Amino acid sequence: MVDLSINCGGIKSPNPFWLASAPPTNSAYQICKAFELGWGGTVWKTLSEPIMNVASRLGGFDYSGQKLAGLNNIELTTDRTIEINLKEIYETKKLWPDRAIIVSLMVESKRETWHDIVKKAIDTGADGLELNYGCPHGMSERGMGAAVGQVPEYCKMITEWVTEVSTIPVLVKLTPNVTNIQMPARAAQAAKAQGVSLINTINSIVGIDLDTLRVVPNVSGKGGHGGFAGPAVKPIALHMVSQVATDPEFNLAISGIGGISTWKDALEFILLGATSVQVCTAVMHHGFRIVQDMIDGLTNWMQSKGFSNLDQVRGKSLTGLDSFGNLNLLYKAVARIDQSKCIHCNLCYIACEDGAHQCIDITPEDGHNKTVIREKDCVGCNLCAIVCPVPGCISMVRLDDGSEEKTWNNLIQDFKSEGRELSWENLAEFQKQHGIEIH
Amino acid sequence: MENIVSKLSTEQYEKNFQELHPPLTYGSALAESSRCLYCYDSPCMKACPTHIDISEFIKKISTDNLLGSAKTILKSNWVALTCAKACPVAVLCEGACVLNEKGDKPIEIGRLQRYVIDNYFEQGMPALFDVKPSNGKSVAIIGSGPSGLACGAELALLGYNVTIFEQSDVPGGLNTWGIAPYKMRKQDALKEVELVKSFGVSVKTGTGIGKNITFNELYKNYDAVFLGIGLGESNALSVKGEELSGVISALDFIEQVKTEDWSSVPVGKKVAIIGAGNTSIDAATEAKRLGAEQVIVLYRRSSQDMSAYNFEFDLAKKDGIIFHFLTAPKNIIGKNSVEGIECIRMEPGQPDSKGKRSVLPVPGTEFTIPVDMVIKAIGQEAQNDFISSVPGVKFVNGKIEINVENYQTGNPKVFAGGDCINGGKEVVNAAYDGKMAAHGIDKFLCN
């Protein structure tokens, strides 16, 4: 039996799939529908100061005929009154006691104002709070959202205002629009929060309409930067989650966010240390129903790998994460083409020829081109295997026997102890010694 | 002819002749173009007789660069719309698509090409090519079919003064008159004629050589002559009754259908087509779509010997056409009009040097099929009389002999391309011939 339940900084839910604070979590109607389909939790759309939204709020980033590789938005926090939201949160929690309901908050930077909204949110019976320090547009210009998240001192101060009155777990939602994500994460920890959620959206201009020459989305001839989300941001989000997860000074729970569309995406966040994951763009594209495949897929994967709960999975890939200086310079891998699978598109050839190290030969044979790796020149960069459209046709094969390891850090250490300086000549000697040819 | 089918409603004709491969929408073209792998040195390009840089034009569709895409196509092929609609893509570009090897559906190259060229004509043929200043030399082209058009376009861009002489009142040759309406309408072929004319090529229709003007006049007045004359009369069956009312050649029948005045094309209720090539399939399916109750294809050899493409054979079978293989016509029976066709069973004999088996009649197996119409589709003769009248031109096995390097005939001033040099191939072959001959002419006249 596989158990998908989690406890994220004291917030429990039957599975790790939460809806992120965003348009899909605007109302009890939507959230009840989502819970019906299996979502484990939701972060209610941010309760905030009075705001008004504009029409034309979203811009899509399509790639190669695929819709929504990314989504940009300039929508603000909830535009419904605090009272209506609080009432709906209360009613929804009553109906769904086993699901996690987290209330997202963002108010002006006054201690009393925060105390007041925190108490009201707790009174709904919600399971936790999420402090929105990430919103990169509109609210930041009013001193809220990212304006707080980008300054660790503000982040700590306001989080303290919350934690000093809160009786339920507090997650701090981090903006990626910073130089080092570890700093605001540490500030949240210092202020006694129970966890962090990351990443919020990335500052972006999603595109220009080449007929009107206006930025998209276009609000009556004008537009501005927005927050970018969706599949395209996932690698950035994964990196930031890993930075926080590997910070020796950080030990809170992590709720992973950023381009999660499938159980596979979710799993990657969990493998890098996330406890829950939050989803928005994929739901905006395809609806709440996507959670069914997420639950199934994750369960089946865990079963096939022999895991019975997510504690066994969480952070498992962090052990293989290291800095460049600790990677083995003597690992020798080369590409091999399985000629029986090759369809003769020659994409490997042109990629290697123009974009890498010119180590694929192309010769006419039986009316098509035969592509062959010149192994002695192959640097093992993976490019050909990445561009090959046929699964399993090009594989990267290890040639060294794994008995020798020398990292850059080792090498520099050796040079130091031998009294040699780091020079091209000394490097060439090392390369020659190990049969590494640079061409 | 007796027992002519009754007229169908206009809607029914339109339905019967609606396009087999309808146009792609913007979204579907975008999705299909994005599916293309953008192969390097792609097999599809090599498989196209005109070597269109297919992956390049498809890439340009995916970036909304439709004019750039049109230019990529047209610079290799001046009758690209006809080719997009009439090429046997399954055995050419699409057959070579690497996705076949991957186990996927090949890219719909023909439909994508059509999407681009349709758009080009819809945009009003914006100028994509520079016409070089006149070099003062002139070339006469005989025939406005695909090879003549391609030759004319290419020469005009090089600065030649080009005149195409066309015996019919409507230009375009077989592009206009020989392609089944469910593949392509006449209007499309005429658009391509307009494109070629836009480069300054003059097209003189209703001008038959030997009727309105002599070959010698052309030969004297022009610096070079290109023969894009295609083939001649349909081969005769040489059986009794061939002169009866209701016996027609496939090409004449197809031409009548191409008038698109379908209710005026006489078709018998029961039709026999003699021969099993691609023209025969066209005639058979068209007769069926005009309302014939029963259409039978008679072929003296077996199914593996027929020259019709598999996809054409499939189309005919879907239309309910009946095939009698190893069956030869012996006599067409009837008083004034066709009443039936007497056939005889054949049996395979020894294979010849090319492996093609001869066939021999089986005595005593004669039988008669009652039919009202007989369509002859056993190939065309070459334009023997005309060709033999051109001094120096060599004529071998029914084909004009040319130098494959420059398409020059035995007469240095006379060049040729298309069906008259290959005995009858695809439009795309003719398009390539015409273009290459233009460069042969250019080299000849510049030296």
Side-chain angles (χ1 to χ4, degrees), chain B residues 164-242:
Chain B
I164 298 180
F165 296 89
E166 169 57 54
Q167 62 181 350
S168 164
D169 289 335
V170 185
L174 284 181
N175 287 8
T176 301
W177 295 113
I179 296 167
Y182 47 77
K183 288 181 187 162
M184 181 169 139
R185 297 291 171 91
K186 208 165 64 179
Q187 210 50 42
D188 287 327
L190 298 180
K191 288 178 193 166
E192 290 174 327
V193 176
E194 288 308 309
L195 173 65
V196 175
K197 280 163 77 174
S198 76
F199 302 145
V201 172
S202 155
V203 180
K204 290 197 188 304
T205 51
T207 312
I209 310 302
K211 286 181 199 143
N212 314 81
I213 189 165
T214 66
F215 180 80
N216 278 341
E217 278 175 79
L218 296 188
Y219 192 77
K220 259 193 287 176
N221 296 335
Y222 290 84
D223 296 301
V225 179
F226 174 79
L227 308 178
I229 54 177
L231 297 171
E233 293 299 309
S234 293
N235 286 326
L237 295 172
S238 307
V239 296
K240 249 203 295 182
E242 200 165 346

Side-chain angles (χ1 to χ4, degrees), chain A residues 307-322:
Chain A
F307 295 115
S308 56
N309 65 63
L310 287 169
D311 290 340
Q312 297 163 348
V313 177
R314 187 173 314 109
K316 243 187 151 32
S317 298
L318 292 170
T319 49
L321 198 65
D322 215 329

